[in-house]
Amino acid sequence: MADSPSPVRDTLTEIARLLPTDASLEDVQYHLYVRQQIEAGLADEEAGRLIDTDEMRRRLTAHKRAKENRG
């Protein structure tokens, strides 16, 4: 067993410290979900899998036009 806590345990400890004493398990789940999504986004950024806002707007506009033309 390692001498230091695991990253997951560190995250849980940090979240527990930040939550109010009357927090529910649902509150804990929500904060874990948000943390997981942030970490996934940072990993996507690191891997170059993000696009900028202008490109996203261009893609959405093209998708909307294609959908209108089909239907």
Side-chain angles (χ1 to χ4, degrees):
M1 185 181 267
D3 292 333
S4 63
S6 71
V8 172
R9 188 173 291 220
D10 290 343
T11 299
L12 289 171
T13 301
E14 180 183 347
I15 289 171
R17 213 177 26 245
L18 295 172
L19 288 171
T21 57
D22 63 344
S24 67
L25 287 176
E26 190 173 287
D27 295 330
V28 174
Q29 289 174 317
Y30 170 76
H31 285 277
L32 286 171
Y33 171 78
V34 169
R35 177 65 66 94
Q36 184 179 34
Q37 295 305 303
I38 290 169
E39 289 178 3
L42 292 172
D44 285 343
E45 179 184 34
E46 181 82 17
R49 292 187 294 256
L50 299 183
I51 59 173
D52 65 24
T53 303
D54 292 335
E55 174 62 15
M56 189 71 231
R57 284 187 180 125
R58 187 193 67 71
R59 289 183 187 189
L60 287 171
T61 299
H63 175 75
K64 183 178 177 183
R65 286 185 183 144
K67 188 175 178 181
E68 288 170 352
N69 290 336
R70 282 183 271 154

